Amino acid sequence: MTIRVLLADDQTLVRAAFAMLVESARDMEVVGEAGSGREAVGAAREVRPDLVVMDIRMPDLDGIEATRLIAADEELAGVRVLVLTTYDTDENIVEALRAGASGFLVKDTRPAELLDAIRTVAAGEALLSPGPTARLIERFLRSPSVPMPVPGGGPECLSDRERGVLALVARGLNNTEIAEALGLSPLTAKTHVSRIMGKLGARDRAQLVIVAYESGMVTPGTL
């Protein structure tokens, strides 16, 4: 299945480079480009991509607000957002995850890693395996902030098994690793993760991590 990608960045040369890279992959195609956050939201509504590669720092409307608008639009429920930043210490990353992004990459990521990231996020996973996303969540959730709204219930609505699975998701484990850690089959682990997302009203694993940290179920320093 071809992954339909929308590219949002205010630098024309950056968009052109990303477009060439994405089009070089047999399983992807660029279906639109945007030079601002507002254009990105409009383009997402028009072409309904599978995934938006979203720069954070853009004119008119930044990538965080654009991500929030896309995530809040019920007609765009299947659209994933992968945000880009110049530095992996950008505090806005956590806000982007709270807004509904499924992960992030720094702009100097190697081409093959960007393509793998697009495939990962488009498949419903999140870029949370050991690396900068998990470190940023750990660092910035040390400070008091407004908790991310949880449409469903909090972790207290989960069974003991589901709470254990959620803790492993928050540590960045994928379904196969969770299965190995708990002695389950990968399919059972995937079912647990899906059920947890349903109970918590989370879009994806990125939001599960935020919920786990903000509820105090997982604390900084445990990764």
Side-chain angles (χ1 to χ4, degrees), residues 20-21 28 33 65 69-70 84 95 126 148 179 183 186 207 216 221:
M20 289 180 61
L21 175 62
M28 301 179 195
E33 296 186 23
E65 289 305 315
L69 290 174
I70 290 172
L84 293 174
E95 292 307 313
M148 184 187 76
Q207 287 197 337

Side-chain angles (χ1 to χ4, degrees), residues 64-84:
I64 294 175
E65 289 305 315
T67 297
R68 184 172 288 113
L69 290 174
I70 290 172
D73 191 330
E74 294 183 358
E75 294 186 357
L76 300 179
V79 178
R80 306 283 180 180
V81 177
L82 175 64
V83 297
L84 293 174

Side-chain angles (χ1 to χ4, degrees), residues 5-12 14-16 30-44 52-55 58-59 66 70:
V5 181
L6 169 65
L7 301 173
D9 194 294
D10 63 333
Q11 298 182 43
T12 304
V14 172
R15 290 202 312 273
V30 175
V31 295
E33 296 186 23
S36 72
R38 199 169 302 281
E39 288 181 9
V41 175
V52 181
V53 177
M54 180 85 74
D55 187 24
M58 289 189 291
I70 290 172

